[in-house]
Amino acid sequence: MKIDVCFSPALYPVYHNPEAIVVVVDVFRATTTMAAAFSNGVRSIRPVATVEEAEAYKAEGWLVGAERNVKRCEFADFGNSPFDYTPEKVSGKDLVFTTTNGTRAITIAKSAFRVITGAFINLQAVAGYCVRHKRDVVVLCSGWQDKVNIEDTLFGGALTDVLLSTSLYEAGSDAAVIARDMWTNNKEDLLAYLDTTDHMGRLKANRLEDAVPYCLTLSITDKVPELSIEGDTLILR
């Protein structure tokens, strides 16, 4: 079996494998937030690509999380911070969620064999999911408006490292090797390595960096959000 890393949604057509598991990652912050919400008892999350779709669901009475350019949308109940989705607010609830990059990446990948969302906080659980299903894996980095970013690539490298260590997987291309090298060279101090990155700058400029240490914490939840067979809702199996 092979694991590969797609650095940007713009490259996904080159990496698409209809028989593979696609792991969508948006470390800062969408897929971290999704894992946190499921850990706090959310029943389902419906990812939508556009603000207009989210607004339509809000008009129908849905709870909605919505973010653009790191900021919470005015009409939304929640933004894109994992700290917004507390058990008191989301346990047992169904949500609609749209973000600048992460939810769009999910919709792009939905025709794969399975689509799940990964983050550092559920890294080991994601690896276990992949091993159990015995399928090729493509990590789809959400990036930033189709541009490559470092934090999602680091996660791709971390998952590659874990899966290669099982001896069940091999690197699918140079991209997986590059991502793994980035991870192994910087895993001892991720915060320092990411401090001057583009997205960290955006978070700092908007005083939203409070969640960064949480987003970089390894394997603190066993929840793996999975896109339903219908391709419109993230659930737990």
Side-chain angles (χ1 to χ4, degrees):
M1 296 179 291
K2 294 182 179 181
I3 176 168
D4 219 332
V5 180
C6 176
F7 293 149
S8 160
L11 294 171
Y12 182 69
V14 180
Y15 288 85
H16 175 64
N17 175 353
E19 299 303 317
I21 296 166
V22 174
V23 182
V24 175
V25 56
D26 186 351
V27 169
F28 293 154
R29 296 161 289 167
T31 57
T32 302
T33 296
M34 292 172 188
F38 276 104
S39 293
N40 288 334
V42 76
R43 185 167 59 183
S44 72
I45 297 176
R46 180 164 293 188
V48 296
T50 69
V51 169
E52 291 76 18
E53 290 172 278
E55 287 181 308
Y57 277 108
K58 179 63 179 173
E60 294 176 4
W62 285 69
L63 281 175
V64 173
E67 165 267 330
R68 281 300 180 273
N69 299 317
V70 310
K71 297 179 181 179
R72 173 178 166 175
C73 297
E74 290 185 1
F75 68 88
D77 301 287
F78 311 101
N80 190 19
S81 169
F83 301 148
D84 289 351
Y85 298 79
T86 62
E88 297 76 17
K89 293 179 180 178
V90 304
S91 183
K93 303 293 180 61
D94 301 305
L95 305 179
V96 169
F97 194 40
T98 186
T99 69
T100 307
N101 303 291
T103 54
R104 174 173 167 265
I106 292 169
T107 61
I108 287 170
K110 66 182 182 180
S111 63
F113 169 75
R114 290 286 186 275
V115 178
I116 62 175
T117 64
F120 285 117
I121 69 168
N122 67 347
L123 172 63
Q124 287 294 337
V126 167
Y129 179 103
C130 296
V131 168
R132 287 194 304 276
H133 281 80
K134 298 181 172 63
R135 295 269 178 166
D136 289 346
V137 175
V138 177
V139 179
L140 174 54
C141 301
S142 297
W144 178 262
Q145 297 179 351
D146 281 338
K147 296 178 181 178
V148 176
N149 70 21
I150 290 177
E151 62 272 15
D152 295 347
T153 305
L154 279 170
F155 172 86
L159 184 59
T160 298
D161 194 47
V162 174
L163 291 182
L164 292 186
S165 72
T166 68
S167 299
L168 299 172
Y169 283 84
E170 60 182 348
S173 75
D174 286 353
V177 177
I178 291 167
R180 187 191 192 197
D181 286 348
M182 183 184 292
W183 163 251
T184 56
N185 290 335
N186 297 284
K187 64 182 179 180
E188 297 304 323
D189 197 345
L190 294 176
L191 192 58
Y193 182 57
L194 290 165
D195 189 56
T196 59
T197 57
D198 288 347
H199 203 57
M200 186 72 86
R202 282 185 285 270
L203 293 174
K204 288 180 178 179
N206 290 278
R207 298 181 179 178
L208 294 170
E209 71 272 26
D210 60 319
V212 167
Y214 178 85
C215 293
L216 299 179
T217 304
L218 298 181
S219 302
I220 56 174
T221 177
D222 62 356
K223 306 303 183 186
V224 180
E226 176 185 297
L227 199 63
S228 64
I229 299 300
E230 295 76 17
D232 61 358
T233 306
L234 290 163
I235 56 176
L236 296 178
R237 293 290 184 186

